[in-house]
Amino acid sequence: MLLLFVAFMNNEPAELPKLISGAIIVLCFVPFLIIQWISATQPEPALVQATRGDLQATPWEVDQIEIRDLSDNTPVALLNTHIHEDNAHSVITSLLILPDKEFLICGKANGTIQVWNLDNEKLAVEINSIFHPIVSVAVHTETKTLLAVSNTGSVSAWNLEGGEPILLQQVKPDIPASIRFYHDIDFHMESVVRKQFWYTIIEWTAVCIALITGFLSIIHYYTVGDVSTPIVGTALFFSGLIDAFNLLSADHLINSVEDTVRFIPITWAISRTFNVSILILGTSLILLKRNKLKQSSHRSEIRFLAVVAFIFAMIAYAIVHICSVLPELPQAIYLDGRLAKRPWDILPLALLLLAGTVVFPRFYRKYPSLFSYGIFLSVVPHLATQIHAVFWSSQVFDPDFFAAHSLRLLAYLVPFIGLILDYNRVHEQEATYQETQQKLLIARSVQQNLLPQSAPKMKGIDLAGRSQSSDTVGGDYFDYLQLGKNRLGIVIGDVSGHDFGASLFMAQTRAYLRALSTIHDDLSDAMRELNEYLTNDSHTHRFVTMFLARFNLESQTLDYCAAGHQSLVLNSDKTTTIIGPTGPPLGVMEDGLECAVEQIPFKPGSILVELTDGILEVKNEEGVMFGNDHVFSILNEHQDKTSEELVELIISTALEYSDQPVPYDDMTVVVMKFQK
């Protein structure tokens, strides 16, 4: 944990997966320390003895009971509890002499309970339905009910005379509340109370972590928009609900049909199977619907998440209901020498192997995040949990039982830590993104200010331009140049790319051209020197296509120099002209650029349209480009409109043609009308 904190504070997210893996592997050894601690702190067994009046019963040898008269300290009887020669000897663990009848009740380490008649020293009843040492016995004389408590803390009841089992809920109304819920205190079972306490603490911590993980995954979804996280988080949430039901029933806070010794192991196995099953189901649903989820809307994602949550809830409710109504749950722990002490836990062990080798690795590769990595990595403590449960835990509340539960707590903690770190990383990325966006907005404002805010006034000329970036900043540029009396320069440029670097290169191009236009009267010379500056600045990493025109009002001509760029002219006689490039783009050739200057007549009624390829190359749903024909069509149909109206119409028509609210590439249009 310390290493994770240090890596996090030092902003080294690349090291986090390695550190998390190492921490989890190290923490898997913690339950072994817990086993040693529990074993070292086991209390000394109390002296097994029973007294009634002057009679005292004490174990003698391995399985014999000595009855002694305390008034004169003389032996009265010696009972041999080993009545089946083919069975192994078993230590006597509890004794009780009834106060009003000549009966002695004996509990043994193998779970056997014997009722002896002291008058004739014969066995009256023998019960063999408990498989754990009997630590205490009691009798409810009014109902003739025999109660026994095993070292697991479970209470079982039988008819004292015939030995028939009695369902515990049928006995509870006649037993004091202290015996029903805190029987171990009444029966002097301090060790069981302590174990039950630690069991509750460990189990409830795991439940809380699972529930909180489910809630945080929903918050993560609304922050990031990744639907995979809440689906897996929902699976963990309902796993926590099943574990909560298991815990509340084991602690007798809700009504349970079966006793603790059967209830906890079988519901543990059911809970573990449910846990890994819905995790596999949740991640598999994401993998199967991966492409659809990426293309789906927010509403459809919410609907899909609600359906998944409903399915998980119904499965959880069915498990709870079945465990509540079954009159008897199957036996889950076997002590007959077989390798698997708890065979019901083999199924979740096999499912975990499937998840850890097939499902979770694919999920992590498709949806890489610290949370999905935590899901994948949690297989390690999950497997260690099941190994303890299947092969080593032979009793409820034995050391391996606590080891399994501690490892399960760790297994829930791993995705939780991954989700927290992932959320924090996303939060930092969001903060960085917002800071970057703020800087880009400032850059956009600066860039927009570099574009002309109004057109220069010239007799008979209606001039307008507009540039719309596909991103916060762009690489398109247009400008107006005052080149002397009755001469007007119009330039449009398109820098390769439309990122922050393109906007900076555009600003450089504008500054160079404005300076050169005051020095060179020849457009070709200005373009050649501009190319030299741009080539030195970009080192051929970027280039600019540019159309530079100069309108002469007196001669009514248009001189132009087109570096890899074209423009359109609607002539006064309603004919159309496409002005092609007269040289290569700027910033590509290091040596002298040859960009010829051409001249065309520009009579009153003519319209010049300079535009970038963001307009011409926009495509519709069929993949057909907008092209020059659509621009000429707009000019012919709306030639009576002002230049500003034509600029807006061309851009809006191109956007409508693409059916996209934001252009894929920067769009820039300049329109000059020579009015009649």
Side-chain angles (χ1 to χ4, degrees):
M1 293 301 115
L2 180 60
L3 291 175
L4 292 177
F5 177 76
V6 171
F8 177 72
M9 294 302 293
N10 290 335
N11 294 320
E12 297 178 4
E15 299 299 322
L16 281 177
K18 299 177 183 178
L19 292 173
I20 291 175
S21 304
I24 297 308
I25 294 174
V26 170
L27 288 176
C28 281
F29 290 96
V30 172
F32 293 100
L33 301 178
I34 295 177
I35 292 175
Q36 297 299 322
W37 175 76
I38 294 175
S39 302
T41 57
Q42 289 287 348
E44 292 293 330
L47 178 64
V48 178
Q49 203 172 62
T51 304
R52 191 205 68 186
D54 293 335
L55 287 182
Q56 183 183 68
T58 307
W60 188 262
E61 298 296 338
V62 177
D63 47 17
Q64 292 181 341
I65 302 173
E66 180 188 57
I67 310 297
R68 184 176 291 270
D69 189 341
L70 296 179
S71 61
D72 55 6
N73 199 27
T74 58
V76 175
L78 185 65
L79 306 178
N80 185 8
T81 63
H82 186 240
I83 60 176
H84 302 289
E85 296 297 334
D86 53 339
N87 290 346
H89 291 272
S90 181
V91 177
I92 296 169
T93 54
S94 61
L95 288 170
L96 174 67
I97 302 177
L98 296 188
D100 55 348
K101 293 187 178 181
E102 297 297 323
F103 284 98
L104 179 142
I105 302 174
C106 164
K108 308 189 72 176
N110 61 2
T112 301
I113 301 173
Q114 295 177 348
V115 181
W116 290 84
N117 189 324
L118 296 181
D119 288 336
N120 55 21
E121 300 181 10
K122 290 186 178 180
L123 180 66
V125 178
E126 184 177 44
I127 301 170
N128 295 293
S129 60
I130 294 184
F131 304 97
H132 299 279
I134 307 299
V135 297
S136 187
V137 290
V139 172
H140 194 255
T141 55
E142 293 181 6
T143 58
K144 297 181 180 180
T145 301
L146 170 63
L147 299 172
V149 181
S150 72
N151 68 341
T152 64
S154 63
V155 178
S156 301
W158 299 270
N159 181 280
L160 179 61
E161 296 180 348
E164 297 85 4
I166 301 174
L167 293 178
L168 196 58
Q169 63 267 28
Q170 298 175 1
V171 182
K172 283 179 180 179
D174 296 320
I175 300 178
S178 61
I179 296 179
R180 286 207 309 271
F181 301 112
Y182 305 103
H183 49 79
D184 22 277
I185 297 177
D186 282 18
F187 291 165
H188 310 290
M189 294 176 59
E190 292 84 356
S191 62
V192 173
V193 174
R194 183 164 53 82
K195 291 177 181 178
Q196 186 83 17
F197 171 77
W198 284 111
Y199 163 72
T200 303
I201 292 296
I202 294 173
E203 190 75 356
W204 196 250
T205 303
V207 169
C208 291
I209 291 174
L211 298 182
I212 294 173
T213 302
F215 283 117
L216 286 181
S217 66
I218 301 297
I219 298 174
H220 187 276
Y221 168 70
Y222 281 101
T223 303
V224 181
D226 183 3
V227 74
S228 65
T229 301
I231 290 177
V232 178
T234 302
L236 290 172
F237 176 84
F238 287 107
S239 295
L241 290 184
I242 291 292
D243 294 333
F245 162 72
N246 185 6
L247 175 62
L248 293 174
S249 298
D251 284 347
H252 306 289
L253 296 177
I254 60 176
N255 195 30
S256 59
V257 175
E258 193 56 271
D259 60 10
T260 306
V261 71
R262 284 183 181 270
F263 183 84
I264 291 181
I266 191 63
T267 53
W268 159 276
I270 295 173
S271 171
R272 300 296 298 144
T273 304
F274 175 77
N275 175 276
V276 65
S277 297
I278 63 173
L279 279 177
I280 292 176
L281 177 61
T283 50
S284 299
L285 284 173
I286 298 170
L287 292 173
L288 292 175
K289 293 179 68 65
R290 174 175 177 260
N291 293 329
K292 293 183 178 180
L293 286 174
K294 285 188 173 182
Q295 301 171 0
S296 59
S297 63
H298 178 72
R299 180 176 297 180
S300 61
E301 287 180 345
I302 294 294
R303 187 165 52 248
F304 175 70
L305 180 60
V307 171
V308 172
F310 177 78
I311 294 174
F312 291 164
M314 289 299 98
I315 297 174
Y317 172 78
I319 293 174
V320 171
H321 180 72
I322 291 173
C323 291
S324 300
V325 301
L326 282 180
E328 184 178 357
L329 295 173
Q331 181 181 345
I333 299 179
Y334 293 88
L335 303 176
D336 54 3
R338 64 181 66 184
L339 179 62
K341 304 294 190 302
R342 295 165 63 166
W344 282 81
D345 284 276
I346 294 178
L347 177 58
L349 179 61
L351 291 174
L352 279 169
L353 290 173
L354 172 65
T357 55
V358 179
V359 182
F360 292 167
R362 289 187 59 192
F363 175 67
Y364 174 63
R365 287 195 297 268
K366 297 294 183 182
Y367 295 89
S369 68
L370 288 175
F371 177 64
S372 59
Y373 184 74
I375 294 294
F376 171 46
L377 194 60
S378 67
V379 173
V380 176
H382 273 307
L383 284 173
T385 297
Q386 289 307 112
I387 291 173
H388 273 280
V390 173
F391 300 107
W392 296 334
S393 179
S394 58
Q395 296 180 16
V396 176
F397 299 151
D398 67 359
D400 286 291
F401 173 90
F402 279 102
H405 281 263
S406 301
L407 285 165
R408 201 266 300 273
L409 170 61
L410 178 61
Y412 278 174
L413 193 61
V414 173
F416 176 73
I417 293 174
L419 182 59
I420 292 295
L421 294 175
D422 204 29
Y423 180 80
N424 192 78
R425 185 171 66 175
V426 170
H427 179 72
E428 287 187 348
Q429 290 175 346
E430 180 68 18
T432 303
Y433 172 78
Q434 293 296 336
E435 183 180 354
T436 303
Q437 286 297 108
Q438 190 66 28
K439 293 178 180 178
L440 288 175
L441 288 175
I442 296 174
R444 177 183 177 86
S445 177
V446 172
Q447 184 183 29
Q448 291 297 318
N449 290 331
L450 293 178
L451 301 176
Q453 304 303 309
S454 61
K457 302 297 182 180
M458 181 175 285
K459 183 179 178 180
I461 296 298
D462 179 17
L463 183 62
R466 178 187 164 194
S467 180
Q468 179 169 336
S469 302
S470 62
D471 210 334
T472 309
V473 293
D476 279 8
Y477 134 77
F478 74 96
D479 200 2
Y480 310 128
L481 304 173
Q482 290 285 2
L483 302 178
K485 185 178 179 181
N486 294 329
R487 293 199 307 175
L488 174 65
I490 307 166
V491 60
I492 189 170
D494 185 358
V495 180
S496 58
H498 42 81
D499 53 3
F500 192 71
S503 68
L504 292 177
F505 203 66
M506 180 274 285
Q508 287 179 299
T509 304
R510 172 186 179 274
Y512 285 140
L513 184 59
R514 281 201 163 195
L516 293 172
S517 64
T518 62
I519 300 174
H520 298 284
D521 188 61
D522 191 325
L523 297 182
S524 179
D525 292 339
M527 292 289 265
R528 180 168 54 254
E529 193 166 347
L530 175 62
N531 176 72
E532 293 177 3
Y533 289 137
L534 294 180
T535 303
N536 293 331
D537 288 347
S538 70
H539 302 288
T540 68
H541 292 155
R542 290 187 185 273
F543 62 88
V544 183
T545 63
M546 180 179 292
F547 187 90
L548 175 61
R550 182 175 58 198
F551 173 67
N552 191 321
L553 180 61
E554 293 179 352
S555 63
Q556 298 183 356
T557 58
L558 191 71
D559 298 329
Y560 66 88
C561 194
H565 208 104
Q566 71 166 29
S567 287
L568 311 177
V569 174
L570 179 65
N571 299 304
S572 57
D573 58 358
K574 309 307 179 189
T575 59
T576 58
T577 302
I578 300 176
I579 303 176
T582 61
L586 307 177
V588 177
M589 300 175 58
E590 295 184 0
D591 297 331
L593 175 75
E594 294 297 332
C595 190
V597 178
E598 304 284 346
Q599 186 181 86
I600 60 171
F602 199 75
K603 302 298 181 181
S606 300
I607 302 175
L608 170 68
V609 179
E610 298 184 2
L611 40 75
T612 58
D613 56 7
I615 297 286
L616 299 176
E617 296 179 0
V618 68
K619 296 180 180 180
N620 60 10
E621 294 180 353
E622 288 75 27
V624 180
M625 288 195 298
F626 192 71
N628 296 319
D629 292 339
H630 282 83
V631 180
F632 282 131
S633 176
I634 294 173
L635 295 178
N636 282 312
E637 293 179 16
H638 303 281
Q639 57 183 303
D640 56 331
K641 293 184 178 294
T642 65
S643 294
E644 186 172 352
E645 290 174 335
L646 286 174
V647 168
E648 297 297 328
L649 187 60
I650 292 172
I651 293 178
S652 61
T653 305
L655 287 175
E656 184 179 351
Y657 184 81
S658 66
D659 196 25
Q660 297 293 331
V662 179
Y664 175 76
D665 195 3
D666 301 332
M667 291 183 172
T668 303
V669 180
V670 178
V671 174
M672 184 179 71
K673 294 183 65 177
F674 190 8
Q675 298 173 339
K676 294 182 179 179

